[in-house]
Amino acid sequence: MALFAYIRVSSEKQAYDRQLFQLNEYFNRCGIDTSKVRFIEEKITSYTSFRQRAIYPVLRDAKEGDIIY
């Protein structure tokens, strides 16, 4: 089982900080070891094709039991 956390913002001016903070708070509450979570971060617009997005290979190659936050 693999664990992934996907964080996305829409412009270079935006930061991941709040999303990362919220995810880490959730992982701490649930007792999830963040060293086992692969964080995927990207700054893209809605005009980016789905296959160009960083989440695409994760979704394409996901196995049963993998978790994507």
Side-chain angles (χ1 to χ4, degrees):
M1 173 179 74
L3 302 174
F4 300 92
Y6 180 63
I7 303 170
R8 180 187 88 91
V9 294
S10 300
S11 76
E12 290 296 322
K13 294 178 183 177
Q14 294 175 315
Y16 303 117
D17 299 347
R18 289 193 326 188
Q19 291 179 61
L20 192 54
F21 177 80
Q22 292 293 323
L23 279 169
N24 280 314
E25 289 253 314
Y26 174 78
F27 293 146
N28 286 335
R29 275 195 316 272
C30 294
I32 297 169
D33 180 358
T34 56
S35 70
K36 298 185 185 317
V37 178
R38 179 175 164 217
F39 286 84
I40 302 158
E41 301 173 350
E42 69 181 337
K43 294 185 179 194
I44 60 170
T45 67
S46 60
Y47 298 110
T48 305
S49 81
F50 181 67
R51 290 186 176 181
Q52 291 175 307
R53 297 177 185 212
I55 194 65
Y56 176 73
V58 174
L59 295 172
R60 180 192 62 209
D61 300 335
K63 309 273 188 291
E64 187 173 333
D66 289 354
I67 299 173
I68 302 169
Y69 298 95

Coordinates of all heavy atoms in Angstrom, one line a residue:
M1 N 0.8 -1.2 0.0 CA 0.0 0.0 0.0 C 0.9 1.2 0.0 O 1.8 1.4 0.8 CB -0.9 0.0 1.2 CG -1.7 1.3 1.4 SD -2.8 1.4 2.8 CE -1.6 1.6 4.1
A2 N 0.6 2.1 -0.9 CA 1.3 3.4 -1.0 C 0.4 4.5 -0.6 O -0.8 4.5 -0.8 CB 1.8 3.6 -2.4
L3 N 1.0 5.6 0.0 CA 0.3 6.7 0.4 C 0.8 8.0 -0.3 O 2.0 8.2 -0.4 CB 0.5 7.0 1.9 CG 0.1 5.8 2.9 CD1 0.5 6.2 4.3 CD2 -1.4 5.6 2.8
F4 N -0.1 8.7 -0.9 CA 0.2 9.9 -1.6 C -0.6 11.1 -1.1 O -1.7 10.9 -0.7 CB -0.1 9.7 -3.1 CG 0.6 8.6 -3.8 CD1 0.0 7.4 -3.8 CD2 1.8 8.8 -4.3 CE1 0.6 6.3 -4.4 CE2 2.5 7.7 -5.0 CZ 1.9 6.5 -5.0
A5 N 0.0 12.3 -1.1 CA -0.7 13.5 -0.7 C -0.5 14.5 -1.9 O 0.7 14.8 -2.2 CB -0.2 14.1 0.6
Y6 N -1.6 14.9 -2.5 CA -1.5 15.7 -3.7 C -1.9 17.2 -3.3 O -2.9 17.4 -2.7 CB -2.5 15.2 -4.8 CG -2.5 16.1 -6.0 CD1 -1.4 16.2 -6.8 CD2 -3.7 16.7 -6.4 CE1 -1.5 17.0 -8.0 CE2 -3.7 17.5 -7.5 CZ -2.6 17.6 -8.3 OH -2.7 18.3 -9.5
I7 N -1.0 18.1 -3.6 CA -1.1 19.5 -3.3 C -1.0 20.3 -4.6 O 0.0 20.1 -5.3 CB -0.1 20.0 -2.3 CG1 -0.2 19.1 -1.0 CG2 -0.3 21.4 -1.9 CD1 1.0 19.3 0.0
R8 N -2.0 21.1 -4.9 CA -1.9 21.9 -6.1 C -2.4 23.3 -5.9 O -3.3 23.6 -5.1 CB -2.9 21.2 -7.1 CG -2.9 22.0 -8.5 CD -4.0 21.4 -9.4 NE -5.2 22.0 -9.2 CZ -5.7 23.1 -9.8 NH1 -4.9 23.6 -10.8 NH2 -6.8 23.6 -9.6
V9 N -1.7 24.2 -6.5 CA -2.1 25.6 -6.6 C -2.1 26.0 -8.0 O -1.5 25.4 -8.9 CB -1.1 26.5 -5.7 CG1 -1.2 26.2 -4.2 CG2 0.3 26.4 -6.2
S10 N -2.8 27.1 -8.3 CA -3.0 27.5 -9.7 C -2.1 28.6 -10.2 O -2.2 28.9 -11.4 CB -4.5 28.0 -9.8 OG -5.4 27.0 -9.4
S11 N -1.3 29.2 -9.4 CA -0.4 30.2 -9.9 C 0.9 30.2 -9.1 O 1.0 29.7 -8.0 CB -1.0 31.6 -9.8 OG -1.0 32.1 -8.5
E12 N 1.9 30.8 -9.7 CA 3.3 30.9 -9.1 C 3.2 31.7 -7.8 O 4.0 31.5 -6.9 CB 4.3 31.5 -10.1 CG 4.6 30.6 -11.2 CD 5.3 29.3 -10.8 OE1 6.2 29.4 -9.9 OE2 5.1 28.3 -11.4
K13 N 2.3 32.6 -7.7 CA 2.2 33.5 -6.5 C 1.6 32.8 -5.3 O 1.8 33.2 -4.2 CB 1.3 34.7 -6.9 CG 1.9 35.6 -7.9 CD 1.0 36.8 -8.2 CE 1.6 37.6 -9.3 NZ 0.7 38.7 -9.7
Q14 N 0.9 31.7 -5.5 CA 0.3 30.9 -4.4 C 1.3 30.0 -3.8 O 2.3 29.6 -4.4 CB -0.9 30.2 -4.9 CG -2.0 31.1 -5.4 CD -3.2 30.3 -6.0 OE1 -3.0 29.3 -6.7 NE2 -4.4 30.6 -5.6
A15 N 1.1 29.7 -2.5 CA 2.0 28.8 -1.8 C 1.2 27.5 -1.4 O 0.0 27.5 -1.2 CB 2.6 29.5 -0.6
Y16 N 2.0 26.5 -1.1 CA 1.4 25.2 -0.6 C 1.2 25.2 0.9 O 0.6 24.3 1.4 CB 2.4 24.1 -0.9 CG 2.8 23.9 -2.4 CD1 4.1 24.1 -2.8 CD2 1.8 23.6 -3.3 CE1 4.4 23.9 -4.1 CE2 2.2 23.4 -4.7 CZ 3.5 23.6 -5.0 OH 3.9 23.4 -6.3
D17 N 1.7 26.2 1.6 CA 1.7 26.2 3.0 C 0.5 25.7 3.7 O 0.5 24.9 4.6 CB 2.2 27.6 3.6 CG 3.5 28.0 3.1 OD1 4.2 27.2 2.5 OD2 3.8 29.2 3.2
R18 N -0.7 26.4 3.4 CA -1.9 26.0 4.1 C -2.3 24.6 3.9 O -2.8 23.9 4.8 CB -3.0 27.0 3.8 CG -2.8 28.4 4.4 CD -4.0 29.3 4.3 NE -4.8 29.1 3.1 CZ -5.8 29.9 2.8 NH1 -6.1 30.9 3.6 NH2 -6.6 29.7 1.8
Q19 N -2.2 24.2 2.6 CA -2.6 22.8 2.3 C -1.7 21.8 3.0 O -2.2 20.8 3.6 CB -2.6 22.5 0.8 CG -3.6 23.3 0.0 CD -3.5 23.0 -1.4 OE1 -3.6 21.9 -1.9 NE2 -3.2 24.1 -2.2
L20 N -0.4 22.1 3.0 CA 0.6 21.2 3.7 C 0.3 21.2 5.2 O 0.3 20.1 5.8 CB 2.0 21.7 3.4 CG 3.1 20.8 3.7 CD1 3.0 19.4 3.1 CD2 4.4 21.4 3.3
F21 N 0.0 22.3 5.8 CA -0.3 22.4 7.2 C -1.5 21.5 7.5 O -1.5 20.8 8.5 CB -0.5 23.8 7.6 CG -0.9 24.0 9.1 CD1 0.1 24.0 10.0 CD2 -2.2 24.2 9.4 CE1 -0.3 24.1 11.4 CE2 -2.6 24.3 10.8 CZ -1.6 24.2 11.7
Q22 N -2.6 21.7 6.7 CA -3.8 20.9 7.0 C -3.6 19.4 6.8 O -4.1 18.6 7.6 CB -4.9 21.4 6.0 CG -5.4 22.8 6.3 CD -6.1 22.9 7.6 OE1 -6.8 22.0 8.1 NE2 -5.9 24.0 8.3
L23 N -2.8 19.0 5.8 CA -2.6 17.6 5.6 C -1.7 17.1 6.8 O -2.0 16.0 7.3 CB -1.8 17.4 4.3 CG -2.6 17.3 3.1 CD1 -1.8 17.4 1.8 CD2 -3.5 16.1 3.0
N24 N -0.7 17.8 7.2 CA 0.1 17.3 8.3 C -0.7 17.2 9.6 O -0.5 16.3 10.4 CB 1.3 18.2 8.5 CG 2.4 17.8 7.5 OD1 2.7 16.6 7.3 ND2 3.0 18.8 6.9
E25 N -1.6 18.2 9.8 CA -2.5 18.1 11.0 C -3.4 16.9 11.0 O -3.5 16.2 11.9 CB -3.4 19.4 11.0 CG -2.7 20.6 11.4 CD -3.1 21.1 12.8 OE1 -4.3 21.1 13.1 OE2 -2.1 21.4 13.5
Y26 N -3.9 16.6 9.8 CA -4.7 15.4 9.6 C -3.9 14.1 9.9 O -4.3 13.2 10.6 CB -5.3 15.4 8.2 CG -6.1 14.1 7.9 CD1 -7.4 13.9 8.4 CD2 -5.5 13.1 7.1 CE1 -8.0 12.7 8.1 CE2 -6.2 11.9 6.8 CZ -7.4 11.8 7.3 OH -8.1 10.6 7.1
F27 N -2.7 14.1 9.3 CA -1.9 12.9 9.4 C -1.5 12.7 10.9 O -1.5 11.6 11.4 CB -0.6 13.0 8.6 CG -0.9 12.9 7.1 CD1 -0.1 13.7 6.2 CD2 -1.9 12.2 6.6 CE1 -0.3 13.6 4.9 CE2 -2.1 12.1 5.2 CZ -1.3 12.9 4.3
N28 N -1.2 13.8 11.6 CA -0.9 13.7 13.0 C -2.1 13.2 13.8 O -2.0 12.3 14.7 CB -0.5 15.0 13.6 CG 0.9 15.4 13.1 OD1 1.7 14.5 12.8 ND2 1.2 16.6 13.1
R29 N -3.3 13.7 13.6 CA -4.5 13.3 14.3 C -4.8 11.8 14.0 O -5.3 11.1 14.9 CB -5.7 14.1 13.8 CG -5.9 15.4 14.5 CD -7.3 16.0 14.2 NE -7.8 15.9 12.9 CZ -7.6 16.8 11.9 NH1 -6.9 17.9 12.2 NH2 -8.1 16.6 10.7
C30 N -4.5 11.3 12.8 CA -4.8 9.9 12.5 C -3.7 9.0 12.8 O -3.8 7.8 12.5 CB -5.2 9.9 11.0 SG -6.7 10.7 10.6
G31 N -2.6 9.5 13.2 CA -1.4 8.7 13.5 C -0.7 8.1 12.3 O -0.1 7.0 12.3
I32 N -0.8 8.9 11.2 CA -0.1 8.4 9.9 C 1.3 9.0 9.9 O 1.5 10.2 10.1 CB -0.9 9.0 8.7 CG1 -2.3 8.3 8.7 CG2 -0.2 8.7 7.4 CD1 -3.3 9.0 7.7
D33 N 2.2 8.1 9.7 CA 3.7 8.4 9.6 C 3.9 9.2 8.3 O 3.9 8.5 7.3 CB 4.5 7.2 9.7 CG 6.0 7.4 9.7 OD1 6.4 8.6 9.6 OD2 6.7 6.4 9.8
T34 N 4.2 10.5 8.4 CA 4.4 11.2 7.1 C 5.6 10.8 6.4 O 5.7 11.2 5.2 CB 4.4 12.7 7.4 OG1 5.4 13.0 8.4 CG2 3.1 13.2 7.9
S35 N 6.5 10.1 7.0 CA 7.7 9.7 6.2 C 7.3 8.6 5.2 O 8.1 8.3 4.3 CB 8.8 9.1 7.2 OG 8.4 7.9 7.8
K36 N 6.2 8.0 5.4 CA 5.7 7.0 4.4 C 4.8 7.6 3.3 O 4.3 6.9 2.5 CB 4.9 5.9 5.2 CG 5.8 5.2 6.2 CD 5.1 4.0 6.8 CE 5.8 3.3 7.9 NZ 7.2 3.1 7.7
V37 N 4.5 8.9 3.4 CA 3.6 9.6 2.5 C 4.5 10.3 1.4 O 5.4 11.0 1.7 CB 2.7 10.7 3.2 CG1 1.9 11.4 2.2 CG2 1.9 10.0 4.3
R38 N 4.2 10.0 0.2 CA 4.8 10.7 -0.9 C 4.0 12.0 -1.3 O 2.9 11.9 -1.7 CB 5.0 9.8 -2.1 CG 5.7 10.5 -3.3 CD 5.9 9.6 -4.5 NE 6.2 10.4 -5.6 CZ 5.8 10.1 -6.8 NH1 5.1 9.0 -7.1 NH2 6.1 10.9 -7.8
F39 N 4.6 13.1 -1.1 CA 3.9 14.4 -1.3 C 4.2 14.8 -2.8 O 5.3 14.8 -3.3 CB 4.4 15.5 -0.4 CG 3.9 15.4 1.0 CD1 4.5 14.5 1.9 CD2 2.8 16.0 1.4 CE1 4.1 14.4 3.2 CE2 2.3 15.9 2.7 CZ 2.9 15.1 3.6
I40 N 3.1 15.1 -3.5 CA 3.2 15.5 -4.9 C 2.7 17.0 -4.9 O 1.5 17.2 -4.6 CB 2.3 14.6 -5.8 CG1 2.8 13.2 -5.6 CG2 2.4 15.1 -7.2 CD1 1.8 12.2 -6.0
E41 N 3.5 17.9 -5.3 CA 3.2 19.3 -5.4 C 3.3 19.8 -6.8 O 4.2 19.4 -7.5 CB 4.1 20.1 -4.5 CG 4.1 19.7 -3.0 CD 5.2 20.4 -2.2 OE1 6.0 21.1 -2.8 OE2 5.2 20.3 -1.0
E42 N 2.3 20.6 -7.2 CA 2.5 21.2 -8.5 C 1.7 22.6 -8.6 O 0.7 22.8 -7.9 CB 2.1 20.3 -9.6 CG 0.6 20.0 -9.8 CD 0.4 19.0 -10.9 OE1 1.2 19.0 -11.9 OE2 -0.6 18.3 -10.9
K43 N 2.3 23.4 -9.4 CA 1.6 24.7 -9.7 C 1.2 24.7 -11.1 O 2.1 24.7 -12.0 CB 2.6 25.9 -9.4 CG 3.0 26.0 -8.0 CD 3.9 27.2 -7.7 CE 4.1 27.3 -6.2 NZ 4.7 28.5 -5.8
I44 N -0.1 24.6 -11.4 CA -0.6 24.5 -12.7 C -1.9 25.3 -12.9 O -2.5 25.6 -11.9 CB -0.9 23.0 -13.1 CG1 -1.9 22.4 -12.2 CG2 0.4 22.2 -13.2 CD1 -2.4 21.0 -12.7
T45 N -2.3 25.5 -14.1 CA -3.5 26.1 -14.4 C -4.5 25.1 -14.9 O -4.1 24.0 -15.2 CB -3.4 27.2 -15.4 OG1 -3.1 26.6 -16.7 CG2 -2.3 28.2 -15.1
S46 N -5.8 25.5 -14.9 CA -6.8 24.5 -15.4 C -6.6 24.2 -16.9 O -7.2 23.3 -17.4 CB -8.2 25.1 -15.2 OG -8.3 26.3 -15.9
Y47 N -5.8 25.0 -17.6 CA -5.5 24.8 -19.0 C -4.5 23.7 -19.2 O -4.3 23.2 -20.4 CB -5.0 26.1 -19.7 CG -6.0 27.1 -19.6 CD1 -5.8 28.3 -18.8 CD2 -7.2 27.1 -20.4 CE1 -6.8 29.3 -18.8 CE2 -8.2 28.0 -20.3 CZ -7.9 29.2 -19.5 OH -8.9 30.1 -19.4
T48 N -3.8 23.2 -18.2 CA -2.9 22.1 -18.3 C -3.6 20.8 -18.6 O -4.6 20.5 -17.9 CB -2.0 22.0 -17.0 OG1 -1.4 23.2 -16.7 CG2 -1.0 20.9 -17.1
S49 N -3.2 20.1 -19.6 CA -3.9 18.8 -19.9 C -3.7 17.8 -18.7 O -2.7 17.9 -18.0 CB -3.4 18.2 -21.2 OG -2.2 17.5 -21.0
F50 N -4.7 17.0 -18.6 CA -4.6 16.0 -17.5 C -3.4 15.2 -17.5 O -2.8 14.9 -16.5 CB -5.9 15.1 -17.5 CG -6.0 14.1 -16.4 CD1 -6.1 14.6 -15.1 CD2 -5.9 12.8 -16.7 CE1 -6.2 13.7 -14.1 CE2 -5.9 11.9 -15.6 CZ -6.1 12.3 -14.3
R51 N -2.9 14.7 -18.7 CA -1.8 13.9 -18.8 C -0.5 14.6 -18.4 O 0.6 14.0 -18.2 CB -1.7 13.2 -20.1 CG -2.8 12.2 -20.2 CD -2.7 11.4 -21.5 NE -3.7 10.4 -21.5 CZ -3.9 9.5 -22.4 NH1 -3.1 9.5 -23.5 NH2 -4.8 8.6 -22.3
Q52 N -0.5 15.9 -18.4 CA 0.7 16.7 -18.1 C 0.8 16.9 -16.6 O 1.8 17.4 -16.1 CB 0.7 18.1 -18.8 CG 0.8 18.0 -20.3 CD 0.7 19.4 -20.9 OE1 -0.3 20.0 -20.7 NE2 1.7 19.8 -21.7
R53 N -0.2 16.6 -15.9 CA -0.3 16.9 -14.4 C 0.5 15.9 -13.6 O 0.6 14.7 -14.0 CB -1.7 17.0 -13.9 CG -2.5 18.1 -14.6 CD -3.9 18.1 -14.2 NE -4.6 19.2 -14.9 CZ -5.6 19.9 -14.5 NH1 -6.0 19.7 -13.3 NH2 -6.1 20.8 -15.2
A54 N 1.1 16.3 -12.5 CA 1.9 15.4 -11.7 C 1.1 14.3 -11.1 O 1.6 13.2 -10.8 CB 2.6 16.2 -10.6
I55 N -0.2 14.4 -11.0 CA -1.1 13.4 -10.4 C -1.4 12.3 -11.4 O -1.7 11.2 -11.0 CB -2.4 14.0 -9.8 CG1 -3.1 13.0 -8.9 CG2 -3.3 14.5 -10.9 CD1 -2.4 12.7 -7.7
Y56 N -1.2 12.6 -12.7 CA -1.6 11.6 -13.7 C -0.9 10.2 -13.5 O -1.6 9.2 -13.5 CB -1.4 12.2 -15.1 CG -1.7 11.1 -16.2 CD1 -3.0 10.7 -16.5 CD2 -0.6 10.5 -16.9 CE1 -3.2 9.8 -17.4 CE2 -0.9 9.6 -17.8 CZ -2.2 9.2 -18.1 OH -2.4 8.2 -19.0
P57 N 0.4 10.2 -13.4 CA 1.1 8.9 -13.2 C 0.7 8.2 -12.0 O 0.6 6.9 -11.9 CB 2.6 9.2 -13.3 CG 2.7 10.6 -13.2 CD 1.4 11.3 -13.5
V58 N 0.4 8.9 -10.9 CA -0.1 8.3 -9.7 C -1.4 7.6 -9.9 O -1.6 6.5 -9.5 CB -0.2 9.4 -8.5 CG1 -0.7 8.8 -7.3 CG2 1.2 10.0 -8.3
L59 N -2.3 8.3 -10.5 CA -3.6 7.7 -10.7 C -3.6 6.6 -11.7 O -4.2 5.5 -11.6 CB -4.6 8.8 -11.3 CG -5.0 9.9 -10.3 CD1 -5.8 11.0 -11.0 CD2 -5.7 9.3 -9.1
R60 N -2.7 6.7 -12.8 CA -2.6 5.7 -13.8 C -2.0 4.4 -13.2 O -2.4 3.3 -13.5 CB -1.7 6.2 -14.9 CG -1.4 5.2 -16.0 CD -0.3 5.7 -16.9 NE 0.9 5.8 -16.2 CZ 1.9 6.6 -16.4 NH1 1.8 7.4 -17.4 NH2 3.0 6.6 -15.7
D61 N -1.0 4.5 -12.3 CA -0.3 3.4 -11.8 C -0.8 2.9 -10.4 O -0.2 2.0 -9.8 CB 1.2 3.7 -11.7 CG 1.7 4.0 -13.1 OD1 1.2 3.6 -14.1 OD2 2.8 4.8 -13.1
A62 N -1.8 3.5 -9.9 CA -2.3 3.2 -8.5 C -2.7 1.7 -8.5 O -3.3 1.1 -9.4 CB -3.5 4.1 -8.2
K63 N -2.4 1.1 -7.3 CA -2.7 -0.3 -7.1 C -3.9 -0.3 -6.1 O -4.1 0.7 -5.3 CB -1.5 -1.0 -6.5 CG -0.2 -0.9 -7.3 CD -0.2 -1.9 -8.3 CE 1.2 -2.0 -9.0 NZ 1.5 -0.8 -9.9
E64 N -4.6 -1.4 -6.0 CA -5.6 -1.5 -5.0 C -5.0 -1.4 -3.6 O -4.0 -2.0 -3.3 CB -6.3 -2.9 -5.1 CG -7.5 -3.1 -4.3 CD -8.2 -4.4 -4.5 OE1 -8.2 -4.9 -5.6 OE2 -8.9 -4.9 -3.6
G65 N -5.6 -0.6 -2.8 CA -5.1 -0.3 -1.5 C -4.3 1.0 -1.3 O -4.1 1.4 -0.2
D66 N -3.8 1.5 -2.5 CA -3.1 2.8 -2.4 C -4.1 3.9 -1.9 O -5.3 3.8 -2.2 CB -2.6 3.2 -3.8 CG -1.4 2.3 -4.2 OD1 -0.9 1.5 -3.4 OD2 -0.9 2.5 -5.3
I67 N -3.6 4.9 -1.2 CA -4.4 6.0 -0.8 C -3.9 7.3 -1.3 O -2.7 7.5 -1.1 CB -4.5 6.0 0.8 CG1 -5.1 4.7 1.3 CG2 -5.3 7.2 1.3 CD1 -5.1 4.5 2.8
I68 N -4.8 8.1 -1.8 CA -4.4 9.4 -2.3 C -5.2 10.5 -1.5 O -6.4 10.4 -1.6 CB -4.6 9.6 -3.8 CG1 -3.9 8.5 -4.6 CG2 -4.2 11.0 -4.3 CD1 -4.2 8.4 -6.0
Y69 N -4.5 11.3 -0.8 CA -5.1 12.4 -0.1 C -5.1 13.7 -0.9 O -4.2 13.9 -1.6 CB -4.4 12.7 1.2 CG -4.3 11.5 2.1 CD1 -3.2 10.6 2.1 CD2 -5.4 11.2 3.0 CE1 -3.2 9.5 3.0 CE2 -5.3 10.1 3.9 CZ -4.2 9.3 3.8 OH -4.2 8.2 4.6

